Amino acid sequence: MTLEIAVFLSMNGKAKEAIEFYKHNLQAKELLLVTYADMVKRDPSMELTEENKDHISHSVLSIGKTKLMIAEEIMKPDEKYQTGNNFSLCIQSADLTEINHFYQNVTSDTRVKVIRPLSANMFSKAYAVVRDPFGVDLQLMYDPRLR
């Protein structure tokens, strides 16, 4: 499989609590857990404080065949957290051309708002965040591990 869509939840400081809830109540399996303290090792420019060092930067759980990603922040940092902007769909592909194609397609619609343009970052050669015309945030990400 080279393409998948995962649900991504932003938990406003309650990511650890949410992860434990899903593990306990839905038999979720923890596939990945990265804290802010882990992230600062990759990106020293990240601000690490005593309050946020144990916050979750990124996590991946599996519930049956579905992946659930959980982190602390919403996709658009300058927005105030509220129910409704705390979820997104993460569209991942092991095909870099496919991610580029998806990005070009969705951004050709003038109603789409680009939150983060497609570019490389510390965890992907190609990553973007856009808000579709219906208010749903879409993360587009190249992930060669899906091969």
Side-chain angles (χ1 to χ4, degrees):
M1 171 163 61
T2 62
L3 180 69
E4 73 177 14
I5 298 176
V7 176
F8 186 97
L9 301 176
S10 301
M11 300 308 291
N12 197 32
K14 295 185 179 184
K16 266 191 178 173
E17 184 180 338
I19 291 166
E20 290 308 313
F21 175 86
Y22 294 123
K23 285 169 62 175
H24 179 76
N25 293 295
L26 299 176
Q27 290 79 50
K29 292 179 179 46
E30 186 178 298
L31 304 178
L32 175 73
L33 186 92
V34 180
T35 65
Y36 281 29
D38 298 327
M39 284 298 287
V40 81
K41 293 172 191 171
R42 294 184 192 178
D43 181 4
S45 69
M46 197 172 159
E47 186 178 336
L48 188 66
T49 66
E50 196 58 36
E51 292 80 34
N52 76 7
K53 70 179 183 180
D54 294 323
H55 279 192
I56 306 303
S57 172
H58 187 61
S59 69
V60 180
L61 306 176
S62 68
I63 302 172
K65 293 182 180 182
T66 302
K67 285 188 181 167
L68 176 63
M69 299 176 176
I70 299 176
E72 304 295 350
E73 301 91 14
I74 58 175
M75 292 294 98
K76 194 163 185 256
D78 62 344
E79 284 184 345
K80 186 177 187 296
Y81 175 92
Q82 64 185 31
T83 301
N85 72 352
N86 63 327
F87 76 94
S88 63
L89 299 179
C90 186
I91 302 166
Q92 304 177 109
S93 177
D95 183 342
L96 184 58
T97 302
E98 186 171 47
I99 288 300
N100 281 308
H101 182 73
F102 286 163
Y103 181 77
Q104 293 305 318
N105 280 350
V106 298
T107 57
S108 70
D109 186 318
T110 58
R111 301 172 298 160
V112 168
K113 180 175 184 178
V114 175
I115 295 171
R116 181 180 191 148
L118 188 66
S119 62
N121 63 21
M122 74 180 88
F123 58 84
S124 178
K125 287 183 182 179
Y127 177 75
V129 180
V130 299
R131 184 161 293 153
D132 77 13
F134 315 101
V136 177
D137 288 350
L138 305 174
Q139 298 178 64
L140 302 171
M141 187 175 93
Y142 167 71
D143 187 344
R145 298 172 297 178
L146 294 174
R147 290 190 194 272

